[in-house]
Structure formats: structure tokens, C-alpha cells
Amino acid sequence: MQILLDKVIHVFLPNQCMFCHAPVEYDKTVCEICAENAPVTHQGICLACGKKNCTCQGTFFTELICPFYYELGVDIAIQDMKFKHNRFNARKLAIYMSQSLQSKDYCNEIDLILPAPMYHSDKVKRGYNQAALLAKWISKYTKIPYDENILVKVRKTKKQHDINFIERQKNLNNAFAVEDEKQVAGKTILLCDDVYTTGATLNSCSKILIENKAKKVYLLTASKTRIDSEVL
């Protein structure tokens, strides 16, 4: 059914490479050139210390899973999804995110997928939460249940990219909450978002989940920025 629907959509709205916007077949996500040059990451590297499977003090998540760096067309695909209402890119990016997750031995341990939450007024202004779009498709591909109403943002904060690292930590104090502890207690949670930069937001979300007795938190993002040890 989904294949037929994709073909019909392709007739009226031709599919494009999500990185460079070149025309591609209905069942493709990227063109051949972008597929060869995509900025694929090294899996499981902590952006806080540059080590794999780290136990950084103050880090409340176990590992970051991420297929791409935020560059070379990946950034365009994500910006189109967030700011130009291109929801098709959420589905395309979720394919690679799901594959990265399913390559992990602990994939079957995950009980629940949660998107990084947006403050209500910000979500209304944009029309949707892009992290929730990604989480929904990842849930469909992996058969792991998701819920976008458990983890909520209860306080409006400054834009993270406008302030420094220390200010980011303070900016996020008491910004997130869990609606019902019973929904996360004892569970291994997969927390999804589009971009991992400093990790302040996702670490704050992980902290509140752990404080509400989640067993473990993994992060899954579509992309991440490079740290010094990863510069080409």
C-alpha cells in the first residue's frame, strides 16, 4: 500500500534527493553522487569527550547514535524539514537513523522512543515538532513504540545557538518534565532529535528521564556537528 502511495505522490510531486534536491526515483532518498559523498559518522562517539561508550561525569545518556555529520547537504535536508515544512525528509532521514539503531546489539532492549520536546507555543508556531516526526517514522521502521506526550517542555528558553556552553546549561534548568513517572520507570528509552550540537538539551532531557527512574537513555539523532578530534 505504501509503495503504491509513493508512486502516486511521485507523479504529482516528483521525489528529490534530500541533500541536493536533484530528481530521484520514487523509492530513493538521495542521488548517487550524494550517496557516495555523504558525511557518515563514526558510530557511538561521545561529543563531550571524543571517546566511544564513555562514562563522562554529568552525562546522563549512555551513547549517541547518529548516521551523519551536519554538513555537505545533510544540513540542507534538516533545515528543509524544520523551516520549509518538508516533512518527507523526516521519513527519509528516519531510514538511516533506524538502520544505525538496528546495527546496535542493544536495539532489542529499547522499550520506548521519545522525541525531544518543544515548548507549546514554539510547536504551534512551526506547526509540528520535527523530532516527533522522526520518532514516529523510526517507530514504524523498528516496531518500537513511541509517545510524544510523556516528556514535555514546561518552560520557554532562549535559543541555544545564541548563547555559550555554560549559559546553555543554566538556560535549560527545570525546562523539562515527565508527565507520569510510571511511563518511564524501569524502561530503556531512546531519545530522538534532528541535530546534536553540544548535547546540552538532550542531556537535560536524559537527566529528567533518569531522575524519573528510567533504566537507561540512548540518544538517536539524524546528525551531529564535528568536535575537534573529528575535524577532517
Side-chain angles (χ1 to χ4, degrees):
M1 183 62 183
Q2 185 64 54
I3 293 176
L4 178 59
L5 179 60
D6 289 343
K7 288 182 177 180
V8 172
I9 292 174
H10 183 60
V11 171
F12 298 98
L13 189 63
N15 193 20
Q16 296 180 332
C17 170
M18 65 176 174
F19 296 159
C20 72
H21 298 164
V24 294
E25 294 298 319
Y26 77 92
D27 59 346
K28 301 296 183 183
T29 57
V30 297
C31 66
E32 292 183 3
I33 295 175
C34 287
E36 292 179 2
N37 296 286
V40 179
T41 66
H42 300 289
Q43 291 293 308
I45 294 176
C46 172
L47 270 70
C49 68
K51 296 179 181 179
K52 199 169 185 178
N53 301 322
C54 74
T55 54
C56 290
Q57 184 176 3
T59 299
F60 293 90
F61 58 89
T62 300
E63 185 178 335
L64 168 66
I65 311 158
C66 179
F68 298 115
Y69 289 110
Y70 187 69
E71 57 192 50
L72 299 177
V74 176
D75 50 350
I76 301 301
I78 290 174
Q79 289 166 20
D80 285 352
M81 175 182 66
K82 292 175 70 171
F83 307 120
K84 296 184 179 180
H85 301 278
N86 187 341
R87 302 191 186 199
F88 291 111
N89 280 359
R91 177 185 172 189
K92 295 176 180 180
L93 289 165
I95 291 173
Y96 298 98
M97 296 169 73
S98 299
Q99 290 173 347
S100 294
L101 174 62
Q102 290 171 321
S103 70
K104 300 294 183 178
D105 293 337
Y106 52 74
C107 179
N108 292 333
E109 299 174 12
I110 295 172
D111 301 301
L112 183 64
I113 301 173
L114 302 179
M118 292 180 70
Y119 190 65
H120 177 70
S121 62
D122 293 332
K123 182 179 177 181
V124 170
K125 183 177 180 180
R126 179 168 295 169
Y128 54 89
N129 177 359
Q130 71 278 356
L133 295 181
L134 292 169
K136 182 178 180 179
W137 280 109
I138 292 165
S139 174
K140 184 172 182 178
Y141 292 138
T142 63
K143 309 304 181 186
I144 301 171
Y146 90 103
D147 194 308
E148 60 179 294
N149 299 310
I150 293 175
L151 180 64
V152 295
K153 190 170 185 179
V154 294
R155 182 172 64 80
K156 189 174 178 63
T157 57
K158 297 178 182 178
K159 297 296 182 183
Q160 289 288 88
H161 55 75
D162 294 333
I163 54 181
N164 64 39
F165 182 79
I166 295 176
E167 290 174 332
R168 290 184 182 203
Q169 312 300 315
K170 295 179 180 179
N171 185 43
L172 295 168
N173 286 343
N174 303 314
F176 304 103
V178 170
E179 289 289 279
D180 183 357
E181 181 184 288
K182 294 179 181 179
Q183 294 177 302
V184 300
K187 293 183 179 180
T188 297
I189 306 294
L190 182 71
L191 185 60
C192 293
D193 207 354
D194 54 345
V195 184
Y196 185 111
T197 310
T198 66
T201 298
L202 291 174
N203 196 46
S204 293
C205 290
S206 300
K207 180 177 183 291
I208 197 69
L209 289 169
I210 293 298
E211 289 175 347
N212 280 270
K213 301 181 181 178
K215 180 180 179 181
K216 195 178 292 186
V217 179
Y218 290 101
L219 305 185
L220 177 60
T221 64
S223 67
K224 66 178 182 178
T225 55
R226 291 183 189 269
I227 55 175
D228 292 341
S229 62
E230 297 177 310
V231 173
L232 292 173

